[in-house]
Structure formats: structure tokens, C-alpha cells
Amino acid sequence: MSAPNKSFDPVEVTTLSPEALAGFVQEAIAAFAAASNLEELKEARLAHTGDRSSLALANREVGALPPAAKADAGKRIGQARGEVNQALESRTAELEAARDAALLIEESVDVTTVMPATRGGRHPLTTIQEQVADVFIALGYRVAEGPEIEAEWLNFDALNIAPNHPARTMQDTFFVGNEDSGVVLRTHTSPVQIRSMLTQEPPIYVICPGRVFRTDELDATHSPVFHQVEALVIDKGITMADLKGTLDHFASAMFGEGIVTRLRPSYFPFTEPSAEVDLQCFVCRGASIDNPEAACRTCRSEGWIEWGGCGMVNPKVLIACGIDPEEFTGFAFGMGLERTLMFRHGITDMRDMVEGDVRFTRAFGLGV
Amino acid sequence: MKVPVSWLRDYVAIPESLSGRDVAELLVGVGFEVEGVETVGDVRGALVVGRVQSIEELTDFKKPIRFCQVEVGSSNGHVDTPGIRGIICGARNFAEGDLVIIALPGTTLPGDFTIGTRETYGRISDGMICSQRELGLGDDHDGIMILPAGSAAPGDDAFPILGLGDEVLDIAVTPDRGYALSIRGIAREVAIAQGIAFTDPADALPELPESNGTPVDVDSEDRAACDLIVLRTLENFNPAAPTPDFIKSRLAAVGVRSISFAVDVTNYVMFELGQPLHAFDADKITGKIRVRRAVAGEKLETLDHVVRELSTEDLLIADDSGALSLAGIMGGLTSEISETTTRVVIEAAHFDAVDSAKSSRRHKLSSEASRRFERGVDRMLPPVASARAAELLIQYGGATYVGLAGVETAPDLVHVSFDPEHPGRVAGRSYDVAATKATLVALGCHVDDAKSPWDVRVPTWRPDLSASIDLVEEVIRIDGYNNVPTRLPVAPKGAGYTAKQKLMRRSGLFLAGRGLAEVRNYPFMGQSEFDNLELASDATRRHALKLANPLSDEQPFMRTTLLPGLFAALTRNTSRGFNDAAIFEIASVSLPTPAQPATGITNPPRPSVNGRPSEGDIAQLEALLPAQPTYVAGVLASGAWSDAIELVVSLASELGVEVSVRAADVAPWHPGRCAQVVLGDRVIGTAGEIAPRVNENFGLPKRTVAFEVDLDALVLHANVTPSAPRIWTFPIAKEDIALVVAKNVAASDVLDTVRVAAGELLEDIRLFDVYEGAQVPEGHKSLAFALRFRAADRTLSAEEVASARQAGIEAAAAKFGASLR
Ligand SMILES: [Zn+2]
């Protein structure tokens, strides 16, 4: 507090002396620093920058100074105020940051309490069909479909499966109505190939995934209702080399870069030559063969896994579909999708794919 | 087909260095599937041939015992009696001078039974005289094994004589390769694979003595079904003659039980050459043998003691008294070889493959013979095989030869025109022409390569080779499929998935994203399920196709609805503790027309396969099939009735289809909580809560909810290229209104009325609350709607909004008596 002016000489106005002003500034800074929250800082601000503060009172006395001294004193007060305001600002920022930090700490939660929602899922037999189709769509193929209840002619006769073939009995095939009805539950997706050839001019590049039926009892490795995917290519100059190249590409796409297939001679009425398709073991890549140290459960240490059947389309099949075998040749192959899923995903029991337990489907999410 | 390697060695000089596994590898290389390699007998140590020098009968014991002095060769005798061993034996079926099998001390027999030198019955027994059973060679325990006189010398190693240590391959034979159901056929393949010489056992007709007497005569009345039959008659056969051990052990190795010498011979020759044979007791044959079709009402008791009603399509071997055997399948009891048979007729014939297959199937009777005839038997074999059998009966059974009778239609030998470049065109590489010819010759073809294309006469044992492509397969197979190169063909530009395929996929993704788990059920259902669904007796969903041979008699129908399968899957889940299970399925159902009877028609069209069927033929085939639309259905164990409806409406919306719902009463739903889903003017599905009674019938949780929709119909109307909306940015005006209407008024009707009346300023309207209770009159409900108004070009004035709102309210009041709450 300044005493009433005794003189108009500025040097005699003690409140305006540099020392006094420095003192005011120091007091203010100390008071700001002492404020431990924004409320206390507000009080300190009012005390040190308000109308009744030392600096404000000192400023009032400037007016009484002679003009020569006014400028000088005004400048000093301005400086002092600047220092005080700067200190106030920085302390305000500090305390606001502290307040915000405290608030965020107070609002903290236990982030580990979050549980996943009960999720749905798509059956792996659905999504593996899509995965296979994706591989062949990328090559320019078309996905062909056909009915599950099928004309016997399309399921057997057109595929060079003679009327006396053992598969064409109630022992192996479901007949609709009676054994002479001409209608069966398709035993393979091959009638879709026939439908493709009957409705489309070559070149034909199709992939046919779907549900098929044979009269097996359900057990850990068989199901009377199962799924296949078949491919059919009819074009000029198609050879067995094209078949092998396509199978190798398919194997790589499904099981990893560099995985190949091998062919073993076999017999199917609808292909000639015919072969069994073995898949190189994608787990050990053959390293388990004759190597008990590195035994492989996936391929039983044989290095190869039986995967499907294939061959060059029998000219008789082409003829039955009105395609000239002198002009066009083709190949076809087919695999069981349950089996593929089983060895690829470690499914040990066929029944898991049949029963519809939500745990099974959910494990596969929206796709494989 | 089980194949002892030692038997193969009779016809192909397999190098001694090759093990059974090596031979298996050779066969795998040319395309056979070898399922296993087993070793015969589990004998370790020394087995030698012995000759019984003297027998001392010991009679002081409960049973008679023999102490034998046995010559065992100079190197195998006892130290004190060089060349001789004294051995105790309990069997009595041998005599001094017989050749027997001796297990020397230290030898271990099957069952881990080690022979030692021991004192027994007061003598030192210095080895063991073995029976077939003790050696693990069969069940024959009538006594010890006796080798044919002169067939070996004392001291000879008995292992090769008995086939012990022989390796047996188990080969899976594909149905086109009937010839491989014989040692002859497999030996040829081994020879080709290894590039070594093959001696065809069928090349030379065994030499038989001059005919002496009148053989049983024969005729074939059906030359298409039986173009060749040969009978060889023998007499003076000793019915007690034992089967020689080499035949017994080989039959045991291929898995055939020894029955009697005559029957064993027919089996032995069948395995050796591939020709099924049948042995008759000639004294039980009346008159002449004839091959003929059965007549109506005829019966035959076959060797398996089944009395079979014969079809007029069955081919028989018969005599003047009636049927003797089912040709090519199984013999009959009346003419069977017995323990008193002295006159034997060996029948060898060539039967049509299709005929044999049909008969075998008709009688559900598959035999070694029928398996071979179905796959095709070498047309040239019957004379050779019957002679081979006669030779064995004469040599080991004391029989004398009477003679041959037979009838034959000259065979058509199959010639194939073959371009030697053809294999290369199929494989995508070239094959050496000389090697190609060599392969065909090794297979048994006669190749005339002076002609172009080649004229190839295929061997009679390969009925599967009838066209050039068949020979191509053989050339590529023998060279090895591994030698075919690889190339990825370039397909023409593809168009990707069809819109329908993409929408099907999107539907599954949508439902799975909403928390439902997909299941894939069997498409079968039963009568009880129709009933449990509480379907009306004349409901169209009861018209289902019936399988002739269902997996289970409980479920003979093809499903017309996905719901029963989903219900069963849901109860499996809830019983396993998943009370909130929600599942769905996307699959086809089959909906026959009234003209398609559940039991099918009986005379379907069967177009020729010698060319493309006509459009008319194809249409006729299609007409056989029911409609098979794809449905989507879902079942929720713990959802609300509204969830089921909402899922359908939202799925439709996801596919860009606007559907509406209306109250309905459709089984199996709750009549008060059931909505039909309508697209245009067609009902495409149903959703809501399942009726309590149905829940009970299926064991479902209370208040299970479900939906089922024709997904094909949704997808057909999907909007796959929606137009972009204009996004107006003028301020929105929000108004909520609550309208009280009678309880039976459908909210959707009120909503539609308000929407239309409020005009184009109304951007959106949603129902957000339904209230029934004290605040509204009895029998009424309050519907709360949220209205959003916006204009394209201006900020709406309060008056404009109020007037649009009022128009909506008045329209609802006029149409439904709605009052503002
Ligand atoms: Zn492996």
C-alpha cells in the first residue's frame, strides 16, 4: 500500500520505484505459484491484478506525475504487468492441465471388462465353396449350379456310366420315388458339367460346387450328404498338362505357395485317362517321409494326402453332349470338401459338420 | 486282390533283390493301388524237411504217443546221431517214409512258442513235427503236414516250400481291370513295369491224356449271354485226396478257405488265370447240360443254402432235371462235389458281363466268380483253365480223363485304329513311337504299324480297351503320369459371379453378421415332422417326394421346408446349454407339382447317348424334376416374435427389396404372432413366434421364433444398382406424434397413411413406440411416430411443417379413427 503522495517528484513516489514494482511482481508470482488449483489462482489473480492490487494502485499514481516522469513510470508499470500476466497465464495453463489430467484419471475404466458379442458365423462348407470359387473366378471360370434332385440320365447315362454300373443301384444311390423313376439325388456334381455342356458352346471353363448324396451311413469319416467341387474345361487343344497345371495352381491357392499335386492312374467312366489326385502335404511338405523324428499327423508321414479324382473328359461324354471330340478336348476334376476341410482345419469327426452346433460354425466366423 | 509275390515269380523273373515293397512300388508306378504288403507266417529259426525213418508206438500213456526217428539231413542231426533226430509226436496221420516238416530246437513258432530239446514221455524229444496250424498256415489240425512223396529231400529248407516268409500284396483293382483279378494279370503288369520277360501261363494248353469215354455233353441256348462253354469230364477221382500243401498255402495267402481238393482246384486256377470254374458231381447230372434262362417260378438252392426264386432273366446251368447253378455266380447244392464224388465235371464258360452284373445284383449275391464276370473275363481262357484244373485233378487226385464237350461262337476280335501321335496330343508332350509300340505289345496287343494309322488288335483279356483313347491311357500310364508336363490353360475373359451368386453370399453374410450361426442340415424329413408342424392335412407342404431307399424309414421325404431340420439343430444346441442359440440355413427345398407323384413315375425318357439329346428330350428330363427353390430360414431360441420379422425385412432391405408384412395364421406359427412377408402381391415367406403346441412337439424352448423365406424370390427382385439419393442439407424439422387407434389396426397401415398424407416434405417416418395401458382407452393402443421433414431448396417454415404434420394426423383420423394423444 502506498502512502498518500508527499511530493510530485516521481523519485519520491515510492510505489513507482523499480524496487517496489519488482517487489509487487515477485509477490504476484509467488502467490500464483502458491495457488494449488484454479480456484486459488482466481483469488490470487484478483489480489494481484485486480483494481485493488498494488500494481493497479501504483498505476493510478502515474497520472499525478509530471509529464516528464509519466512515460518512464508508465513503461515500468507496463513491464511489471506483463511479467505478472505471463506468470498468471502459464500457471493457469499448468493448473488447467492438472485439472484435466485428474479428470481423465478419475474417468478411467477397466478396459479388460469387454467381452466379444455372441457372434454368428457361416458354415465352413459354405465358405470353402466360396473360397474355391474365388480361385477359379480369378482365372476366368464361371460358377455353374444345378439341382440336387437330378435326372438319372444327367447323373449317369450322359457320363458314360452304363445302366448296369454298380453305382446305379439302391445300394449306392438314392432314388426318388422308385428305382425306375429316372430321378435320383445326384451322386456327384458332374451332372452340372453335363448341363454346362448342353447349354453352352465351348470354350467352357466352369467350377461346380455343391451338395451330393450317396447311401453311406453317417460316421466319423462318412456322410450320406456331402459336398464336392468339380471343375470342367472344354477347349481346343486341352491336354493332361493343362489338367496338372490347373491342379497345382488350385493346390497352391488353397494350401500355400509351392504346394503341388501328383496323379495316380485310376478309373472313372467319364474320364479317359483317369487319375487319383494326391495333394502334397502342406504341413510337412514331405519332410516326414521315413523320418520318425518328424512324424506328421496330417499325412500320416506319407508326404501326400488323397484329395480327389480327375481325368481327360471321355470322348463319349462329349458326344452325348453334342460336342465334337475331334475339335475339342477337356479335363475335369473333383474333390470332397468335407475331407478338404477335415485335413486343412483339423476337424476329426464328420458329424461336427452335420450336427449344427453353434460352437462349430462360430469358430469359422464369416469365412475360411 | 491278394497276390503272393512267390506266385508272381512263377511267371515273371522278379530279381531276388526286390522285396515285396519294391514290387508294390512297381505296381503303384503303373497305376495300381497297393493297400498293404504282409508277410506270411511268423516263424523265426529253422524249419527243415524230415523223412520219418521209424516209428516207436508208446502205449504206457493215456493216449497213444509216437517216438519217431526222423532223417533231417546231414547238417541238421543230433550231435550223437548225425543226420537223425528223435522226436515225440501225438499225431497219427503219418507213416514211415513220409516227408514232414521239422522245427529244430531254438525255432520260434507263431504265438511266440519256442521249440526246445526236452525230456517227455520218457524220451528226449529233439524238435517238433509240425501241423499246418502250428505254423500259422491255416486251421487244418487234422494232423501234421505231409509233403508229397519225392517233392523234397530231408534237410531241405522248408520256408520256401511252405511259402513262409512270402510277401503278399493287397491290391485294389478298379472295375475296368478285370484281368488284374488274377496272378496272370498282375504278373504281366509287374513285367511291364520292370521291363522284364513275362511267361503267360495261358499261352500253352496243358497236355491231357487221350480222351477215353463219353464226356457229359453241353449246349448253350443263349449264345449272346454265353458264347463259349467247355466241360471236361474226369472219373476215378479219389474224393479223399488231400489238397496239396502248395495249393492250400497259396489259397490261404489269397484269403480263401480250403474246402475239398476238387473245389480247391477250381479256386486255385481261378486265382492263377482269372477264369472262374465250377466243379459238378457228374453222377448227379441228368442227361445233358444246357445254358438257358430260368423259367417263371423256377427255384434253386445255392451253395450258401439260400433257396432263390429265379427270374426269367437269370442265366442258368441246367440239366434235364432242372437248374444246377446260377451261371457265373454260384453253384447249386444238388450237384455239389461231395465226399463220395468220383466223377467230376469241370465247367468253364464265358458269360456276358452285363448279364452277370444284373443277376448278381438281383440276388444280392456277390461271389469271386461274379466279381470277375462283371468286370470281363478273357474269352480265350475256358479251354485252358479247364485243362489246367483237369491236369491238377489227375496229378494229385488220381482222376482219369474222360474228355471234353463244348460249344463256341467265334469271338469278334477287337481292332482299334491308333495314331501313335495320339498319346502325345492328350498328354501335352511327345512319346517315342518305338516305345509306344513296345508298350502296346507288352500289354498283349498285336500291333500292325505298317498301316497308318496303326491297326491294333487288343488282347482278349482287355475288354476295357475298345477305342484309341483307351490305348492312349495305357501308353501314358505305363510311361508314368509323373512324366506329363504342367501348364496352366488360359481361360477366356470371365464375367465373375452372377448377381444371384453375389446376393446369395451377401444374404449369408448379413445373417451371420446379425449373430446367427449357419447350419447345413440333411434334406430329409418324415411324416411325423409334417404332423409336428401342425400342418393341415391338405397343406401343400405335405406334398413331398419320397425316396425309394431312404437312409431311415423315419425320414423318407425330401424336405419342403427348412424348419424341421433347424428345429432339430436348435434343440441340440439348447440341450447342450446354448439357450440363446440363433441359427439359419440357406438351402433348396423340393416342391413337386401335383402332377409329380411322391412315388415317381416308372417309364422316364432315356435319350440316346450317341449324340446330343434334342431340346424336346431335355425338356422331358427337366419335367421329371420338382421345383427346387433356395429358401432361407432362421430359428432363434431367445428372440422376440418381432426379431424374426425384423430379420426378414432387414434382409430384404439389404438386398434392395421392399417387402411388407401382414398378419397371418400359418402353421407352425402362433396365429396371433405370425406375419406373412409379401413382395408385390406374392407371399414369399413367413415370420414370427412358433405356436406353443409346435414348440412342445419338437422339444423347442418356449417362445422360439422363426422365419422362412423364398430367397430366390427376394434375389430375383433385388436392386443390384441402387440410385444414389440426393443429400439435401437444409435444416431438418422433427416432429413426434402419438396416435391412439383400435388395437386391431395394423401400425404399418397407419404409418403408410400418415406418410402419404404428409406429402413430399416428409423425409422419413419411423414407429418408435407402441403403448397399451391405463393412458389409453380399453381396446386401443398408442402408436408413436417420429417424423422428419425437410425440403430440397429451403428451410421449412413452422407453418409448412405444422400443416404437413396435421395432414398426416387428419388422414389417420379419417381412415382409422385415430386421435392425437
Ligand atoms: Zn505331412
Side-chain angles (χ1 to χ4, degrees):
Chain A
M1 292 296 120
S2 61
N5 283 342
K6 289 174 187 162
S7 151
F8 289 106
D9 179 355
V11 294
E12 289 173 32
V13 181
T14 53
T15 53
L16 290 174
S17 75
E19 295 76 20
L21 286 176
F24 297 155
V25 169
Q26 286 313 313
E27 276 171 33
I29 289 173
F32 295 160
S36 62
N37 57 44
L38 289 168
E39 282 302 304
E40 288 174 23
L41 185 63
K42 187 180 175 191
E43 280 171 29
R45 173 169 65 81
L46 291 174
H48 294 278
T49 65
D51 292 347
R52 304 297 307 157
S53 67
S54 304
L55 274 176
L57 294 175
N59 191 44
R60 248 184 253 160
E61 288 172 21
V62 174
L65 292 179
K70 263 186 187 167
D72 189 38
K75 190 177 167 192
R76 275 187 282 122
I77 286 189
Q79 261 171 6
R81 279 184 157 171
E83 279 173 56
V84 168
N85 282 337
Q86 200 178 350
L88 177 64
E89 234 169 73
S90 88
R91 185 59 181 156
T92 302
E94 273 173 35
L95 289 176
E96 276 177 356
R99 178 203 58 191
D100 290 352
L103 185 68
L104 293 181
I105 287 167
E106 195 180 301
E107 288 182 353
S108 73
V109 295
D110 179 354
V111 296
T112 68
T113 57
V114 181
M115 289 288 121
T118 301
R119 69 169 180 166
R122 299 171 73 217
H123 200 284
L125 281 168
T126 303
T127 49
I128 195 173
Q129 291 182 56
E130 294 174 358
Q131 189 189 19
V132 171
D134 286 348
V135 172
F136 286 93
I137 284 280
L139 291 178
Y141 287 50
R142 194 168 58 79
V143 178
E145 292 157 313
E148 294 171 5
I149 301 176
E150 184 58 285
E152 193 181 356
W153 191 89
L154 291 160
N155 192 78
F156 290 128
D157 299 69
L159 286 155
N160 190 37
I161 303 173
N164 63 312
H165 192 278
R168 295 182 66 160
T169 64
M170 299 218 281
Q171 207 125 45
D172 292 320
T173 300
F174 289 110
F175 284 81
V176 173
N178 64 76
E179 202 173 4
D180 299 315
S181 67
V183 182
V184 297
L185 302 191
R186 65 178 179 192
T187 58
H188 42 197
T189 45
S190 310
V192 183
Q193 301 185 14
I194 300 297
R195 287 172 174 275
S196 296
M197 287 188 272
L198 288 175
T199 53
Q200 191 189 343
E201 296 287 324
I204 298 170
Y205 288 75
V206 292
I207 188 93
C208 326
R211 190 194 317 250
V212 301
F213 307 83
R214 292 187 198 164
T215 58
D216 292 318
E217 289 291 331
L218 174 65
D219 63 24
T221 54
H222 298 85
S223 170
V225 181
F226 59 104
H227 296 74
Q228 275 189 338
V229 62
E230 290 187 342
L232 171 73
V233 167
I234 307 286
D235 205 342
K236 286 181 178 161
I238 290 294
T239 68
M240 263 180 105
D242 295 308
L243 167 62
K244 286 182 73 172
T246 305
L247 284 167
D248 281 353
H249 173 79
F250 182 32
S252 293
M254 295 292 285
F255 294 96
E257 196 56 42
I259 294 294
V260 296
T261 57
R262 77 172 178 193
L263 303 189
R264 283 181 293 115
S266 187
Y267 169 73
F268 308 109
F270 33 88
T271 48
E272 184 94 342
S274 302
E276 302 286 339
V277 183
D278 289 345
L279 174 74
Q280 185 187 25
C281 179
F282 55 94
V283 175
C284 69
R285 297 197 179 218
S288 65
I289 302 172
D290 294 331
N291 184 3
E293 301 288 296
C296 177
R297 280 199 313 193
T298 302
C299 65
R300 283 190 249 115
S301 298
E302 288 171 359
W304 297 92
I305 303 165
E306 287 181 22
W307 197 22
C310 70
M312 303 304 292
V313 178
N314 193 317
K316 290 177 184 167
V317 175
L318 296 177
I319 289 167
C321 296
I323 294 173
D324 180 1
E326 296 298 318
E327 186 178 3
F328 293 102
T329 53
F331 67 74
F333 61 80
M335 284 86 190
L337 292 177
E338 275 81 356
R339 204 181 132 61
T340 304
L341 279 175
M342 285 176 91
F343 62 69
R344 195 176 72 172
H345 297 272
I347 300 165
T348 54
D349 197 320
M350 179 72 82
R351 287 167 285 218
D352 291 343
M353 283 182 270
V354 172
E355 285 191 335
D357 193 303
V358 292
R359 288 168 293 182
F360 181 77
T361 295
R362 284 173 185 164
F364 293 93
L366 295 182
V368 291
Chain B
M1 163 89 186
K2 295 213 167 146
V3 178
V5 174
S6 65
W7 206 345
L8 292 175
R9 289 183 193 276
D10 286 359
Y11 313 118
V12 54
I14 300 169
E16 288 299 329
S17 59
L18 295 192
S19 68
R21 296 222 155 268
D22 297 329
V23 177
E25 281 304 311
L26 286 175
L27 287 168
V28 168
V30 291
F32 285 89
E33 191 177 335
V34 181
E35 293 180 331
V37 181
E38 281 181 10
T39 304
V40 176
D42 183 22
V43 181
R44 289 166 312 226
L47 287 181
V48 299
V49 175
R51 180 189 286 124
V52 181
Q53 194 183 56
S54 64
I55 299 173
E56 180 190 350
E57 302 284 353
L58 306 181
T59 51
D60 302 341
F61 305 97
K62 278 183 199 159
K63 54 177 183 171
I65 294 295
R66 289 174 157 185
F67 184 57
C68 311
Q69 298 299 315
V70 186
E71 282 178 63
V72 288
S74 52
S75 58
N76 297 317
H78 191 265
V79 282
D80 299 333
T81 54
I84 303 287
R85 281 178 184 267
I87 300 173
I88 288 286
C89 184
R92 312 194 54 77
N93 65 320
F94 60 98
E96 288 177 1
D98 278 351
L99 290 176
V100 295
I101 306 295
I102 308 298
L104 297 180
T107 299
T108 303
L109 299 183
D112 221 15
F113 172 54
T114 302
I115 307 302
T117 301
R118 62 196 175 110
E119 192 182 337
T120 179
Y121 298 105
R123 300 288 193 281
I124 301 291
S125 183
D126 202 14
M128 189 169 103
I129 306 175
C130 303
S131 72
Q132 201 180 40
R133 190 163 66 157
E134 285 156 345
L135 295 172
L137 291 176
D139 292 335
D140 193 346
H141 48 93
D142 291 346
I144 57 142
M145 293 185 73
I146 300 169
L147 303 181
S151 66
D156 284 356
D157 182 1
F159 269 77
I161 295 169
L162 299 176
L164 282 173
D166 192 10
E167 289 174 293
V168 180
L169 314 182
D170 189 359
I171 300 173
V173 175
T174 53
D176 58 327
R177 298 185 185 277
Y179 72 95
L181 291 173
S182 68
I183 303 299
R184 176 196 186 209
I186 296 292
R188 186 191 310 274
E189 293 284 341
V190 171
I192 294 171
Q194 177 73 5
I196 49 181
F198 167 67
T199 311
D200 189 342
D203 263 356
L205 194 66
E207 267 189 46
L208 295 176
E210 291 284 298
S211 299
N212 180 15
T214 309
V216 174
D217 199 9
V218 65
D219 193 13
S220 170
E221 293 179 1
D222 192 329
R223 293 294 186 96
C226 174
D227 59 352
L228 169 61
I229 182 164
V230 170
L231 301 186
R232 289 189 194 269
T233 307
L234 299 108
E235 57 189 19
N236 298 319
F237 174 67
N238 170 15
T243 301
D245 287 313
F246 77 97
I247 290 182
K248 265 192 189 172
S249 61
R250 281 181 168 179
L251 287 180
V254 300
V256 170
R257 203 162 49 91
S258 171
I259 291 168
S260 70
F261 176 45
V263 174
D264 289 354
V265 161
T266 60
N267 281 328
Y268 182 79
V269 175
M270 174 175 67
F271 280 96
E272 183 176 69
L273 299 177
Q275 170 69 48
L277 300 174
H278 189 70
F280 293 98
D281 184 334
D283 290 329
K284 294 176 187 161
I285 293 170
T286 313
K288 180 178 178 180
I289 282 191
R290 285 197 307 276
V291 183
R292 63 164 170 86
R293 301 283 173 179
V295 294
E298 203 167 0
K299 289 179 185 171
L300 173 69
E301 183 169 9
T302 41
L303 288 173
D304 52 2
H305 298 275
V306 176
V307 178
R308 297 178 186 273
E309 313 255 344
L310 301 175
S311 148
T312 53
E313 288 177 45
D314 285 329
L315 195 67
L316 299 178
I317 307 292
D319 67 0
D320 293 352
S321 71
L324 296 178
S325 84
L326 206 45
I329 297 176
M330 191 174 275
L333 268 187
T334 56
S335 53
E336 192 185 10
I337 297 284
S338 73
E339 55 274 24
T340 59
T341 300
T342 58
R343 293 180 70 234
V344 178
V345 171
I346 298 291
E347 168 233 313
H350 183 251
F351 298 117
D352 180 65
V354 174
D355 247 310
S356 304
K358 281 187 181 164
S359 268
S360 163
R361 215 173 298 145
R362 192 176 305 120
H363 293 286
K364 297 189 169 55
L365 181 56
S366 176
S367 63
E368 291 287 353
S370 70
R371 283 178 62 214
R372 285 171 175 77
F373 281 121
E374 272 179 44
R375 288 165 169 78
V377 173
D378 185 352
R379 163 68 177 73
M380 297 308 189
L381 271 177
V384 183
S386 57
R388 172 77 172 131
E391 182 186 41
L392 291 169
L393 292 174
I394 292 166
Q395 188 178 350
Y396 297 104
T400 56
Y401 188 52
V402 176
L404 165 85
V407 290
E408 175 177 18
T409 304
D412 290 329
L413 295 176
V414 176
H415 289 254
V416 173
S417 284
F418 181 72
D419 172 1
E421 306 290 331
H422 194 185
R425 285 201 301 276
V426 171
R429 52 160 283 197
S430 66
Y431 287 88
D432 179 70
V433 171
T436 296
K437 183 180 175 188
T439 296
L440 295 178
V441 169
L443 289 167
C445 295
H446 181 272
V447 179
D448 181 354
D449 60 353
K451 291 187 179 155
S452 179
W454 293 357
D455 175 60
V456 178
R457 194 183 75 213
V458 302
T460 48
W461 57 87
R462 292 298 302 270
D464 58 315
L465 304 181
S466 61
S468 177
I469 192 70
D470 303 326
L471 300 179
V472 165
E473 179 178 51
E474 293 297 287
V475 170
I476 300 175
R477 170 177 78 92
I478 299 297
D479 183 80
Y481 282 7
N482 290 342
N483 298 325
V484 173
T486 62
R487 176 179 81 167
L488 188 63
V490 178
K493 284 189 289 289
Y497 291 103
T498 62
K500 180 176 173 181
Q501 287 161 349
K502 286 187 264 196
L503 292 164
M504 288 288 174
R505 189 184 288 206
R506 207 201 290 180
S507 302
L509 283 167
F510 171 82
L511 291 171
R514 291 291 305 270
L516 280 72
E518 187 184 15
V519 300
R520 296 186 73 91
N521 296 313
Y522 286 180
F524 310 124
M525 63 186 294
Q527 190 60 48
S528 66
E529 285 164 316
F530 290 123
D531 297 341
N532 287 340
L533 288 171
E534 303 282 334
L535 297 181
S537 58
D538 60 347
T540 51
R541 272 168 296 168
R542 283 186 186 265
H543 182 41
L545 292 178
K546 193 172 184 184
L547 292 177
N549 52 334
L551 205 58
S552 142
D553 290 335
E554 304 293 298
Q555 294 193 311
F557 296 106
M558 296 305 294
R559 63 183 169 186
T560 56
T561 159
L562 304 180
L563 291 176
L566 283 165
F567 288 167
L570 190 76
T571 56
R572 264 197 293 281
N573 278 289
T574 52
S575 73
R576 292 172 185 181
F578 294 92
N579 300 325
D580 60 347
I583 56 178
F584 76 99
E585 180 170 17
I586 294 176
S588 65
V589 296
S590 58
L591 306 176
T593 64
Q596 291 169 325
T599 50
I601 61 166
T602 51
N603 202 7
R606 297 209 186 274
S608 153
V609 291
N610 297 325
R612 188 184 197 282
S614 68
E615 293 307 320
D617 288 339
I618 295 174
Q620 278 197 322
L621 292 172
E622 294 289 358
L624 296 172
L625 306 180
Q628 296 174 64
T630 302
Y631 277 16
V632 56
V635 182
L636 289 70
S638 66
W641 59 267
S642 54
D643 293 338
I645 299 169
E646 182 273 329
L647 277 167
V648 173
V649 175
S650 296
L651 170 62
S653 164
E654 169 63 30
L655 301 181
V657 185
E658 204 174 306
V659 294
S660 58
V661 298
R662 64 181 186 216
D665 175 4
V666 180
W669 280 271
H670 185 310
R673 297 182 169 194
C674 169
Q676 272 179 337
V677 182
V678 182
L679 171 59
D681 53 4
R682 202 191 133 194
V683 174
I684 60 160
T686 315
E689 188 175 308
I690 295 300
R693 180 84 167 273
V694 174
N695 286 333
E696 235 168 77
N697 293 344
F698 283 94
L700 291 165
K702 286 195 170 65
R703 306 223 175 269
T704 293
V705 304
F707 64 87
E708 181 166 46
V709 178
D710 181 344
L711 187 55
D712 278 350
L714 272 186
V715 161
L716 184 67
H717 293 88
N719 181 1
V720 289
T721 44
S723 323
R726 296 294 299 271
I727 307 296
W728 307 120
T729 53
F730 284 95
I732 194 159
K734 299 179 182 175
E735 292 280 337
D736 290 350
I737 57 173
L739 297 173
V740 176
V741 294
K743 205 177 153 182
N744 62 358
V745 173
S748 62
D749 291 341
V750 179
L751 184 147
D752 287 343
T753 301
V754 173
R755 176 164 48 204
V756 170
E760 61 182 10
L761 294 181
L762 181 67
E763 184 181 82
D764 186 46
I765 174 170
R766 294 186 66 80
L767 177 72
F768 69 91
D769 190 39
V770 180
Y771 173 79
E772 285 175 46
Q775 309 291 317
V776 296
E778 183 75 23
H780 285 67
K781 62 186 173 188
S782 164
L783 305 171
F785 296 99
L787 284 62
R788 299 157 67 90
F789 297 94
R790 194 185 331 247
D793 53 352
R794 64 189 188 281
T795 302
L796 291 173
S797 69
E799 292 72 27
E800 284 176 300
V801 173
S803 121
R805 171 181 182 272
Q806 193 56 33
I809 294 168
E810 282 169 9
K815 197 157 179 189
F816 304 107
S819 59
L820 194 63
R821 186 170 147 223

